[in-house]
Amino acid sequence: MRLPDMTRPTADAVESRLTYTDGASRTVFATEVEVPFPEGRLIVSRTDLDGIITHANDAFVELSGWVRDELIGKPHHILRHPDMPKVAFKDLWNTVSEGKKWHGYVKNLRKDGSYYWVYATAVPNIRNGQIAGYTSVRRKPSRTRIDELIPVYRQWLEQEKEKIAS
Ligand SMILES: Cc1cc2nc3c(=O)[nH]c(=O)nc-3n(C[C@H](O)[C@H](O)[C@H](O)COP(=O)(O)O)c2cc1C
């Protein structure tokens, strides 16, 4: 599903062209503005088997910057930040599609180009013994772990870019 390009939010926003696993692509703009994870809240979304958002709780909607109707029915990659390496999501999908639980740190892009970090737990929803969809619950992330992961994600992203260029 093709998501519309973003419009440049501020003059200093960095422009990137993202290509998604389903072949769609769009232009996004990322700023250096971080929005802190809201204290005492859990951010929850559910998807179908293809990663299309089927449910978003109020905290998810508020932090994303979108309104609920703009999120429901859209691919979850609407939140993908250009600093996130693809390999992190490959690991998520490989794990949950095998029926297992995945944990990880994710930097998400808000509608206005700012970002927020989460510590996510994604699980498959099993109905009648079959995977019927997926749920992700996000908690407040550890700043120490974020600081450790920033250079790791940057290195993975560089490796992915080199692979595409070669
Ligand atoms: C339950 C669930 C929650 C997800 N949450 C996020 C998320 O918060 N941010 C994100 O960028 N991708 C999330 N993803 C992964 C996206 O589906 C997608 O794989 C990712 O954004 C990379 O885009 P692409 O695989 O379309 O290239 C989630 C997937 C599932 C199944």
Side-chain angles (χ1 to χ4, degrees):
M1 182 190 290
R2 175 91 167 73
L3 295 171
D5 291 336
M6 276 173 75
T7 44
R8 186 182 286 278
T10 56
D12 56 355
V14 175
E15 179 174 347
S16 309
R17 187 82 190 160
L18 294 182
T19 301
Y20 303 108
T21 309
D22 66 4
S25 58
R26 76 167 173 147
T27 298
V28 297
F29 293 92
T31 70
E32 287 304 314
V33 178
E34 178 169 8
V35 174
F37 191 99
E39 286 297 334
R41 312 244 351 230
L42 286 179
I43 295 176
V44 183
S45 64
R46 281 203 290 273
T47 74
D48 67 10
L49 293 173
D50 298 320
I52 303 296
I53 300 171
T54 54
H55 167 83
N57 75 348
D58 289 345
F60 182 99
V61 174
E62 285 163 31
L63 198 54
S64 76
W66 298 87
V67 297
R68 184 171 274 103
D69 281 357
E70 292 174 311
L71 293 167
I72 304 297
K74 297 290 181 355
H76 216 305
H77 64 216
I78 193 169
L79 299 184
R80 183 173 139 205
H81 195 283
D83 289 350
M84 281 299 293
K86 277 173 178 279
V87 69
F89 298 117
K90 217 168 157 209
D91 185 46
L92 181 161
W93 276 104
N94 286 344
T95 306
V96 293
S97 62
E98 281 177 10
K100 297 184 213 150
K101 191 187 274 193
W102 180 89
H103 299 280
Y105 276 74
V106 181
K107 182 177 184 177
N108 275 328
L109 182 68
R110 287 165 44 92
K111 185 178 182 180
D112 67 1
S114 57
Y115 67 90
Y116 59 98
W117 279 97
V118 299
Y119 175 62
T121 301
V123 293
N125 306 324
I126 311 289
R127 214 173 297 142
N128 302 325
Q130 303 268 13
I131 301 178
Y134 303 101
T135 299
S136 180
V137 179
R138 293 88 174 175
R139 293 175 172 77
K140 189 177 163 66
S142 143
R143 182 52 57 182
T144 312
R145 191 73 189 119
I146 293 171
D147 290 341
E148 285 168 359
L149 282 171
I150 287 172
V152 176
Y153 283 4
R154 194 175 294 141
Q155 197 188 352
W156 288 347
L157 200 61
E158 283 308 314
Q159 286 167 356
E160 288 170 5
K161 282 183 187 158
E162 281 165 22
K163 224 167 144 190
I164 292 167
S166 65

